Amino acid sequence: MTEVVSENSEVTVLLVDDNPQNLKVLYETLKDQGYRLLIANEGEKALDLARRHQPEVVLLDIMMPEMDGYEVCQRLKADPEAADCAVVFLSALDDLQAKVKGFSLGGADYISKPFQSQEVIVRVKTHARVIRLERELQARNRELRGDQARILNSISEGIYGLDENGTIEFANPAAAVIMRCPVEDLIGRNFFETHFSTASECPKGLPVHATCREGIAESQRDIRMLRADGIGFPAEYRSTPKHDSDELHGAVVVFRDITTELESEQALEEARELVQEQRHQLAHTSRLTTMGEMAAGVAHEVNQPLTAIANYARVSKRMMAVENPNLSLLQETLDKIEAQSHRASEIIRRIRRFMKKPATGKEELFVAALLEDTRQFAEVDARNNDGAIELSVPEDLPDILADPIQVQQVALNLIRNALEATRSAESSSPVEVSAKVTSDGYVRVEVRDHGVGLTEDAEEKLFLPFYTTKEEGMGIGLPTCRSLIQAQGGDIGFERPEDGGACFFFTLPVANTPSCSSGDESPPNAV
């Protein structure tokens, strides 16, 4: 089968399936998404296309004749030319072992057949972004390493020898290169007048002045210096006093142009911001997934007050139809309609707040109110799992500094997991949610279930991407939780209570403490 290439595309997606109908469906699904699409109907063809075009994403069927998808994935990951692509398996197989085998061979995701078009589009978009970002960062790192090597091999720092008045007595060739004039033109010039436009106004406050006159060593980065032609450049310098028989005779100045370095730092900072944005996007996707899982229960939750409003309205109409209506009873009925409308509005408010993508970062949060709001939101899951949630938060618990949406996302994920674990053990005990202050300046939130407990190898696997003990789970909940909590300056972990079940916890820094304002502090270690 020949390859089909879309014009003006930046991301390459390779579609591999021995079934022409499946290939047609995949192509029709992705053809308008702006991708460059390649098609292969067997393993060898797929490997050849991958080596020649280095696709970002490979949608790979598992059940193929001659060479199945597992072998294709294994050979792709062993080939340096194609190893960094994201392999997304397509298969009607839906058992855990099939998924585990795919991920162990290097697969990035798994889509069950028959697949939904929207799911394919979203997953391809997510993996394509991640791979493109990784490749851009790798390319930028290679460029930076090359720049550094060239600088070290060909350009040394500029060096001046100054007398006590700042007159340049010595200049090396590198200084002439930086100043863009011959060495002989630098000798005899005044350092301060040459490099700083404010030399005549306030000479005592200029860099290196204290070294020349008082013998005080200095070091500064990102100061503005002038070249011989008057054009400014950012520089870093170190100045050391010159002594002869304990007498001060000026200074030695070592300086360099850091224009390229600052540009590189800016590029890296922009890359970090892009990575952070991608993390927020993945977290938002996780919230959408959670909302999808809870959709049926939420619909039932909203439908209850709406049904009550309709019933009360019908009763009100009948009461008004009589000749002498009971106005007191009518008022009471209308009050009930208003109360039910507020109930429905509150349900929708919690859903909208949970679903929105936060535009701001950390803020001071009242833990008790945040957890109570989360508990109310989780009541839908509690009823679906025939369980209950018990909240215990001390009144004097200090505020925390964190992103409220992300903290609620983590708490809700842990509570839902605890409800499911308790139900699976056929226990009637409620899920226990509590909070306390630790000795090292953190608030610790705990979610305790009464399920069957955790396996012996949970420490090694539980927070790994795509590892799950649920039949329908994707294994992205706990890894996402860890990423969100660590981004807030805290940590997440679990314990095994002596009386059974499991206790998951996460920590967050208390507001207005050194642990939440200094990047040198480390969060408490997870178990």
Side-chain angles (χ1 to χ4, degrees), residues 36-243:
R36 178 173 181 256
L37 300 178
L38 306 176
I39 292 178
N41 59 358
E42 50 91 21
E44 286 294 345
K45 176 71 173 179
L47 293 172
D48 178 66
L49 289 174
R51 279 190 293 268
R52 288 193 288 121
H53 298 282
Q54 289 87 46
E56 279 78 7
V57 181
V58 179
L59 296 182
L60 179 60
D61 183 33
I62 293 179
M63 304 300 292
M64 295 190 299
E66 298 183 10
M67 185 189 304
D68 64 12
Y70 293 134
E71 184 178 352
V72 173
C73 179
Q74 188 173 23
R75 291 177 61 177
L76 278 174
K77 294 302 176 180
D79 187 345
E81 297 293 326
D84 66 341
C85 65
V87 176
V88 180
F89 286 109
L90 304 170
S91 178
L93 299 174
D94 200 29
D95 62 283
L96 179 61
Q97 293 302 319
K99 295 180 180 179
V100 170
K101 181 177 180 180
F103 293 134
S104 67
L105 293 174
D109 208 341
Y110 189 98
I111 300 177
S112 300
K113 294 181 180 179
F115 47 78
Q116 301 295 321
S117 297
Q118 193 61 35
E119 179 184 11
V120 173
I121 291 172
V122 171
R123 290 182 186 272
V124 169
K125 183 178 181 181
T126 298
H127 289 294
R129 283 179 175 175
V130 171
I131 297 301
R132 286 301 294 272
L133 181 58
E134 289 178 351
R135 290 182 178 180
E136 289 172 5
L137 288 175
Q138 290 171 2
R140 186 57 184 158
N141 285 334
R142 287 193 296 268
E143 291 177 6
L144 291 175
R145 287 194 293 268
D147 290 343
Q148 292 170 354
R150 284 189 292 272
I151 292 171
L152 291 175
N153 292 335
S154 62
I155 303 177
S156 60
E157 295 173 314
I159 301 176
Y160 284 143
L162 309 180
D163 67 12
E164 60 272 18
N165 295 316
T167 302
I168 300 174
E169 300 177 325
F170 167 82
N172 70 339
V177 172
I178 295 173
M179 288 297 293
R180 298 176 182 172
C181 72
V183 169
E184 54 268 23
D185 289 352
L186 292 173
I187 303 300
R189 288 194 180 197
N190 183 274
F191 171 82
F192 306 110
E193 295 176 356
T194 299
H195 286 290
F196 305 103
S197 61
T198 59
S200 60
E201 300 173 5
C202 184
K204 291 185 178 181
L206 294 176
V208 188
H209 191 276
T211 308
C212 290
R213 292 301 181 90
E214 303 174 32
I216 300 173
E218 298 179 16
S219 177
Q220 288 192 57
R221 187 174 187 274
D222 197 12
I223 65 167
R224 196 72 176 173
M225 296 178 67
L226 300 178
R227 304 188 199 276
D229 57 7
I231 297 176
F233 67 97
E236 178 181 28
Y237 81 91
R238 301 185 306 278
S239 61
T240 306
K242 289 194 304 181
H243 289 284

Side-chain angles (χ1 to χ4, degrees), residues 228-265:
D229 57 7
I231 297 176
F233 67 97
E236 178 181 28
Y237 81 91
R238 301 185 306 278
S239 61
T240 306
K242 289 194 304 181
H243 289 284
D244 185 7
S245 301
D246 295 330
E247 291 186 7
L248 181 63
H249 289 276
V252 174
V253 180
V254 180
F255 69 101
R256 63 192 183 95
D257 183 345
I258 60 172
T259 302
T260 302
E261 187 174 314
L262 292 179
E263 291 174 351
S264 299
E265 290 175 359

